Amino acid sequence: MRLPGLGTWKVLSNHLLLRWSFSSSHMHLLPPDLLPPEVCSLLNPAAIYANNEISLRDVEVYGFDYDYTLAQYADALHPEIFSAARDILIEHYKYPEGIRKYDYDPSFAIRGLHYDIQKSLLMKIDAFHYVQLGTAYRGLQPVPDEEVIDLYGGTQHIPLYQMSGFYGKGPSIKQFMDIFSLPEMALLSCVVDHFLGHGLEFDQAHLYKDVTDAIRDVHVKGLMYQWIERDMEKYILRGDETFAVLSRLVAHGKQLFLITNSPFSFVDKGMRHMVGPDWRQLFDVVIVQADKPSFFTDRRKPFRKLDEKGSLHWDRITRLEKGKIYRQGNLYDFLRLTEWRGPRVLYFGDHLYSDLADLMLRHGWRTGAIIPELEREIRIINTEQYMHSLTWQQALTGLLERMQTYQDAESQQVLAAWMKERQELRCITKALFNAQFGSIFRTFHNPTYFSRRLVRFSDLYMASLSCLLNYRVDFTFYPRRTPLQHEAPLWMDQLCTGCMKTPFLGDMAHIR
């Protein structure tokens, strides 16, 4: 590719064309001084990442959710949930037998996607409510970008009123926020795919509700609990690390509590497996079947005490005792009885809405989000392929921004080629994470809607609770000062926290 004969562009060609490849298939030709070896593997998958400054020295009370927080589950659980819900649809909701041919595909969906019920559209939305083009699916088939734009009145933007529900449930759009929603999204897409593929008429709202109810039945009927209880070695991960975290906190004088929606018998068996028969002695308060998120907002439900067999007691609860088990209740009574308030409490959960949102925004607790996908995403970010792709994307973006002032035909041809290559690189980078939807944290360049909620509702986030073992109990987490757009005018300056060298910036200073 030949650059126009402009003085400024000659400067660029000396630095770029002789040292960089314009082809994404030759990204390995990027020079060492552009991408130093130490740039890769900068991120630690076992690290804790801070959205807000927080000192563990100030935290006296630690709270935990159970599922996907204290108990991490293997991905092998998802096909079981999918198959059971699929069979419920066929046998109890009388859906077509042909649906049984579908199996769970773990590579299809990612957490944080939105589903437009009336349009049967599963899609990824960014922090500004724009659909990321190329990530909209009806059933198992991608929807062309032009059709997506047409469906929303000539724009990629989803109006706020459709998405403004506090718990991710707008009037016509649902956001899938927890890890258990992965098999739900897969089943929903498979059922829609079958109906469309066979030309069957259906009501989108009825289909969505039936699939959601079938997934709910798997939980309500206790099927998932039975699978896990039968083979805890298979389904529960990092149990020894959970025990180490809890024991360490207690040894340093911290108070612990558990608030979970799961039933006592299930939690008891899981905790015995991970921690041992005396697990309740580690916790000052244990609450099961809490019915979050209404636990945080509904003042009407009182606490009920359970005995060892899970039977309810009738006596009024005037204090929450260590070693005892309580059911339901509400946060307001919890705060009154424990006097655990404000930033000295740190609560961990995996669901940004049901576990964390109310606690941070309404009650001032510190919050920690457990994001298991973080470990895999960081490992991808640390690869040379990702770093090379991102580096060249940023370089192309900077060139496009600065050179767009040249309007001659030759310049416009070069700009068009750069634009095309940039889009190709973005698609390649997206596919590194997930072929259909990309990363759960980013669209091509903006944070996802999921990321926006993660930043708003959590002080800390990490791949698993065991990450706490890598830090002292008095450690202070400092969020990185990420530059605002007006603070970092040059794209390349932002890469790798200043590690990236930019050999041509000095020569470009006169056109900035």
Side-chain angles (χ1 to χ4, degrees):
M1 182 179 294
R2 184 170 60 86
L3 289 171
L6 300 169
T8 301
W9 289 49
K10 286 181 179 179
V11 172
L12 287 173
S13 66
N14 291 334
H15 289 288
L16 296 176
L17 290 180
L18 296 178
R19 306 181 69 179
W20 295 0
S21 167
F22 277 89
S23 170
S24 59
S25 63
H26 294 88
M27 282 189 291
H28 63 278
L29 298 179
L30 288 169
D33 62 342
L34 177 67
L35 190 64
E38 63 270 16
V39 165
C40 296
S41 300
L42 280 177
L43 300 177
N44 180 2
I48 294 176
Y49 296 92
N51 295 318
N52 193 15
E53 185 172 325
I54 173 175
S55 174
L56 298 185
R57 185 188 301 275
D58 300 328
V59 177
E60 302 170 6
V61 184
Y62 285 75
F64 306 92
D65 181 32
Y66 180 73
D67 296 302
Y68 281 108
T69 301
L70 289 177
Q72 288 273 342
Y73 298 127
D75 290 342
L77 188 61
H78 297 160
E80 301 281 2
I81 296 173
F82 176 94
S83 298
R86 177 200 62 199
D87 295 345
I88 289 172
L89 278 178
I90 296 169
E91 295 162 12
H92 297 282
Y93 292 81
K94 307 306 178 184
Y95 272 58
E97 181 67 30
I99 294 172
R100 209 182 297 272
K101 72 178 182 181
Y102 292 95
D103 293 317
Y104 178 69
D105 180 3
S107 66
F108 178 68
I110 61 172
R111 187 153 57 127
L113 299 179
H114 285 78
Y115 186 73
D116 190 319
I117 297 171
Q118 295 301 326
K119 297 178 177 62
S120 298
L121 211 59
L122 185 67
M123 55 194 168
K124 187 164 115 179
I125 296 177
D126 71 13
F128 302 97
H129 296 196
Y130 282 83
V131 179
Q132 180 182 358
L133 295 181
T135 67
Y137 279 72
R138 182 177 289 115
L140 300 175
Q141 301 303 317
V143 179
D145 294 344
E146 298 78 11
E147 183 178 343
V148 173
I149 293 172
D150 185 62
L151 284 170
Y152 291 101
T155 178
Q156 301 165 238
H157 186 262
I158 307 295
L160 178 63
Y161 73 89
Q162 294 188 28
M163 301 174 57
S164 59
F166 186 73
Y167 298 108
K169 299 177 182 179
S172 62
I173 294 182
K174 153 77 184 259
Q175 187 179 17
F176 294 100
M177 288 296 285
D178 66 355
I179 302 172
F180 286 131
S181 65
L182 291 173
E184 182 178 356
M185 285 185 280
L187 182 59
L188 189 59
S189 299
C190 288
V191 175
V192 171
D193 183 76
H194 178 84
F195 274 71
L196 294 177
H198 290 79
L200 302 175
E201 292 188 8
F202 64 98
D203 184 281
Q204 291 96 331
H206 293 336
L207 187 148
Y208 168 75
K209 186 176 187 305
D210 290 345
V211 170
T212 300
D213 288 348
I215 291 286
R216 182 203 61 198
D217 288 347
V218 173
H219 296 275
V220 171
K221 294 179 178 179
L223 298 178
M224 187 193 76
Y225 303 140
Q226 295 171 21
W227 304 326
I228 295 174
E229 289 172 3
R230 277 200 300 261
D231 196 345
M232 292 189 182
E233 289 292 340
K234 175 182 178 181
Y235 291 115
I236 296 182
L237 307 174
R238 294 175 165 169
D240 55 339
E241 296 174 2
T242 295
F243 177 51
V245 170
L246 299 177
S247 300
R248 184 168 177 250
L249 292 174
V250 171
H252 284 82
K254 307 299 182 180
Q255 294 177 289
L256 310 184
F257 67 91
L258 169 64
I259 302 177
T260 176
N261 287 348
S262 293
F264 169 68
S265 60
F266 174 67
V267 174
D268 184 52
K269 291 173 183 175
M271 291 301 292
R272 286 175 179 269
H273 171 77
M274 292 186 291
V275 177
D278 298 326
W279 67 271
R280 280 186 285 167
Q281 295 307 311
L282 295 173
F283 292 88
D284 294 87
V285 178
V286 175
I287 300 167
V288 298
Q289 293 176 279
D291 194 25
K292 296 179 292 183
S294 64
F295 176 88
F296 300 125
T297 57
D298 190 344
R299 300 171 180 260
R300 295 171 296 177
K301 295 180 181 179
F303 284 111
R304 299 285 298 274
K305 188 183 294 183
L306 297 177
D307 62 20
E308 294 288 338
K309 297 181 180 180
S311 299
L312 288 170
H313 287 205
W314 300 102
D315 50 320
R316 183 178 181 180
I317 304 302
T318 57
R319 61 194 181 104
L320 299 175
E321 301 177 68
K322 185 171 184 175
K324 303 297 183 182
I325 305 296
Y326 300 91
R327 176 181 168 182
Q328 289 188 340
N330 63 83
L331 183 65
Y332 299 93
D333 285 343
F334 180 88
L335 296 175
R336 177 175 55 83
L337 295 172
T338 63
E339 297 184 350
W340 293 339
R341 299 177 183 275
R344 68 191 186 101
V345 183
L346 172 56
Y347 185 81
F348 293 92
D350 68 288
H351 198 299
L352 301 183
Y353 296 136
S354 297
D355 289 326
L356 308 181
D358 288 293
L359 295 177
M360 168 174 274
L361 300 181
R362 301 175 193 241
H363 301 284
W365 286 10
R366 310 311 292 265
T367 55
I370 305 299
I371 313 292
E373 300 95 333
L374 184 63
E375 182 173 358
R376 176 178 176 271
E377 294 233 354
I378 287 178
R379 294 192 187 283
I380 293 171
I381 290 172
N382 283 339
T383 63
E384 285 192 38
Q385 184 179 8
Y386 175 86
M387 290 302 302
H388 285 169
S389 178
L390 180 64
T391 301
W392 188 231
Q393 283 181 67
Q394 297 290 66
L396 284 171
T397 301
L399 289 172
L400 287 166
E401 183 177 46
R402 296 180 187 91
M403 298 303 137
Q404 61 185 308
T405 56
Y406 295 96
Q407 299 297 312
D408 60 279
E410 193 174 16
S411 299
Q412 289 300 306
Q413 182 181 1
V414 173
L415 286 168
W418 283 349
M419 185 73 75
K420 180 176 181 291
E421 183 178 0
R422 176 174 176 261
Q423 182 60 28
E424 291 172 352
L425 281 172
R426 293 167 100 181
C427 292
I428 291 171
T429 306
K430 166 195 157 192
L432 293 175
F433 297 94
N434 177 278
Q436 291 74 232
F437 301 102
S439 166
I440 73 169
F441 299 104
R442 277 202 179 274
T443 58
F444 287 135
H445 53 280
N446 288 332
T448 59
Y449 194 86
F450 178 89
S451 286
R452 178 184 179 183
R453 311 313 263 183
L454 176 65
V455 171
R456 187 177 184 194
F457 298 148
S458 66
D459 293 288
L460 305 172
Y461 64 100
M462 64 209 75
S464 73
L465 206 60
S466 62
C467 296
L468 284 169
L469 296 173
N470 300 320
Y471 300 86
R472 292 167 51 94
V473 295
D474 60 354
F475 190 86
T476 298
F477 293 94
Y478 297 96
R480 294 295 175 262
R481 183 184 173 94
T482 53
L484 301 173
Q485 292 297 305
H486 68 277
E487 295 176 328
L490 297 175
W491 283 99
M492 298 295 290
D493 289 349
Q494 301 177 48
L495 285 175
C496 300
T497 322
C499 294
M500 208 67 68
K501 293 183 180 180
T502 316
F504 59 90
L505 290 183
D507 295 312
M508 292 184 65
H510 65 283
I511 67 169
R512 283 170 55 187

